[in-house]
Amino acid sequence: MFRVSIGLILAAMSFLLSITAQADSYIKDNGVIRVEVNGYHPITGDYYPTISRLHIGSSEVMPASNAGGDFQITARSSNGNLWNPTLGGDCAQNPSILTGVLPNWTGANLPALPAANGILLGVTPRLYNEPGLTGCLGEGEIAPIRFNFGLTLGDGAGLPKQAMILDMSVKREAGAEVLRKHLSEFPVAFPYADVMRYAYYSTDGASFQEFNVNGSNDTLTWFPGSGHKKDGQVVALCKTHRSDLDGTTCLAFYSHTPTTMTISHRHTANFPGGLNLINLLANLESQRASSGDKITDYNWHHRKALVAVGRIEHIKAVIQEAENKINNWGGL
C-alpha cells in the first residue's frame, strides 16, 4: 500500500509540474462537506490556491479570510514567522503561485472513492512576510519550496460523508532554509469564531475533553492572538457548548500519530472590506519534543490527515473507519 500510494503521489507531482495552472475555482461537495478550492476574491481580483471556503451542511463555517488565513498548510524554519512559506500567499494578499491542478484526483489511494471527490493542487508558496507585532512587511518572496495539497471527500460508501482526507507534501529546493516540523502547520484553518466557538481535544481519538484556557473552552473569552497548545490526536471546534457533545456540530482535525495541536482566537485576519472574528485550528507536523524535527534534504515529504465534521459521535466513527481503511498515513 505504501509503495502504491507514494508512486501515485509522485506521478501526480510530475504531472502538476508539467502543466499550466488555470485561473478557476473548484467546488467539491458531497452533501455534508462543501469546499471552494482556489477561490476568487473580488476585492483583490486574485485566486488563492487554498481551501477558500468551507461549509458543513448549509452552514458556512469558514470564510475567505486572507492569504494566510484560509484552510491550508504552512511551513517554517527555526526563524519561525520570519521564514514562513504559506500555501495561500503573503500578508499583503499576493497569492502564492499555483503550478498545476488535477481537478479529479484519486491519489489518496482510497480506490472506493470516485475521482470527482478529489482534487490536487501544486503550489510554489510565498513567504507570508509578517514576522509578528511589527505587522505586514509587504510583498513576500517566492520561496524555494514546493507544496502539494490534495483533498478527497467521503462519498458515504467508501468513506463517510463526514470525512475529508488531506494529502499534504513539501519539498525543499536549493536556497531553502531548513524546515522545522514542530513549527509547520499541516493543516491549519480559520473558521468563524462565533460559529465554531467551543474548543475540545482528544489524546486518543475516543474520549474528548474541554480545551480550556483560564477555565473556559469558549474561545470568545480568550485573549486574542495567543496560541494555546496540547499534545494529542484530535483538536476540534464546536458550535455549541454541550456537556455530552451529542447535539452540536464540530470541525475536527485528526492525526494518526500524536502531535502538537493549536487553537487561538483572532480578532481579524481578513481581506480589505470585511471584518470577522476567527479562530485558528491547527495540527503541527510533530510534537514539540519530538526527535527528527528537521527537514534538511531535497526530497518530497508526505503527511495524510483526516478532517471530520458533525457530532462527536460521528467524528469518533469517522476516525475508526479511516483507521481501518488507510494503511499508511505518511509523516513528514
Side-chain angles (χ1 to χ4, degrees):
M1 178 70 77
F2 176 73
R3 291 181 179 175
V4 172
S5 177
I6 296 301
L8 288 171
I9 291 172
L10 290 175
M13 289 171 182
S14 298
F15 181 72
L16 284 173
L17 295 177
S18 68
I19 66 175
T20 300
Q22 296 182 355
D24 280 314
S25 295
Y26 301 87
I27 300 295
K28 297 294 175 179
D29 187 350
N30 66 4
V32 175
I33 300 173
R34 183 179 189 268
V35 292
E36 177 190 56
V37 183
N38 197 47
Y40 174 76
H41 200 283
I43 293 175
T44 65
D46 288 314
Y47 290 83
Y48 292 85
T50 65
I51 296 175
S52 307
R53 294 184 186 274
L54 170 66
H55 285 73
I56 300 174
S58 61
S59 176
E60 183 181 76
V61 300
M62 192 203 75
S65 179
N66 82 6
D70 291 337
F71 192 139
Q72 56 179 303
I73 54 179
T74 74
R76 290 181 176 87
S77 73
S78 59
N79 287 314
N81 289 336
L82 286 172
W83 209 83
N84 180 198
T86 303
L87 190 72
D90 64 27
C91 61
Q93 309 311 320
N94 300 292
S96 291
I97 309 304
L98 181 66
T99 59
V101 182
L102 291 173
N104 296 293
W105 180 65
T106 58
N109 201 30
L110 292 164
L113 297 178
N117 283 38
I119 185 170
L120 178 67
L121 307 182
V123 177
T124 300
R126 291 183 183 273
L127 300 180
Y128 189 61
N129 209 24
E130 186 174 276
L133 297 178
T134 54
C136 182
L137 301 182
E139 183 173 348
E141 295 180 22
I142 303 297
I145 293 286
R146 298 276 187 174
F147 282 146
N148 279 293
F149 185 71
L151 68 89
T152 308
L153 298 183
D155 66 345
L159 207 63
K161 289 187 176 183
Q162 292 87 358
M164 178 167 64
I165 301 295
L166 301 180
D167 285 274
M168 302 164 288
S169 305
V170 62
K171 180 181 183 292
R172 295 176 64 247
E173 297 189 326
E177 295 192 12
V178 171
L179 299 181
R180 302 299 297 269
K181 299 178 186 178
H182 81 283
L183 298 176
S184 300
E185 297 160 323
F186 278 71
V188 60
F190 293 80
Y192 289 112
D194 58 344
V195 177
M196 308 308 289
R197 175 172 176 174
Y198 295 92
Y200 295 87
Y201 76 103
S202 173
T203 59
D204 59 7
S207 59
F208 283 74
Q209 307 171 62
E210 292 184 1
F211 191 131
N212 287 326
V213 175
N214 296 324
S216 176
N217 74 328
D218 181 352
T219 60
L220 294 185
T221 70
W222 297 2
F223 186 80
S226 298
H228 306 285
K229 300 185 186 327
K230 291 190 182 292
D231 291 336
Q233 288 185 269
V234 188
V235 64
L237 288 167
C238 300
K239 284 188 174 183
T240 58
H241 185 276
R242 295 285 293 265
S243 59
D244 55 6
L245 289 178
D246 64 348
T248 186
T249 298
C250 303
L251 167 67
F253 291 168
Y254 171 73
S255 173
H256 172 69
T257 55
T259 187
T260 297
M261 309 171 297
T262 302
I263 298 180
S264 70
H265 178 53
R266 306 293 179 95
H267 268 316
T268 61
N270 298 347
F271 289 104
L275 298 177
N276 291 307
L277 293 175
I278 60 174
N279 285 327
L280 176 150
L281 181 72
N283 276 355
L284 304 184
E285 164 47 24
S286 68
Q287 296 187 73
R288 289 165 283 184
S290 68
S291 60
D293 180 59
K294 297 180 180 179
I295 295 179
T296 60
D297 60 35
Y298 299 99
N299 302 320
W300 282 104
H301 294 259
H302 316 279
R303 173 181 173 82
K304 193 184 290 283
L306 171 68
V307 179
V309 305
R311 300 176 181 179
I312 290 294
E313 64 191 58
H314 296 150
I315 289 169
K316 292 178 182 179
V318 168
I319 290 170
Q320 187 59 56
E321 188 161 346
E323 282 288 358
N324 290 337
K325 292 186 175 180
I326 297 173
N327 290 343
N328 187 277
W329 293 78
L332 297 185

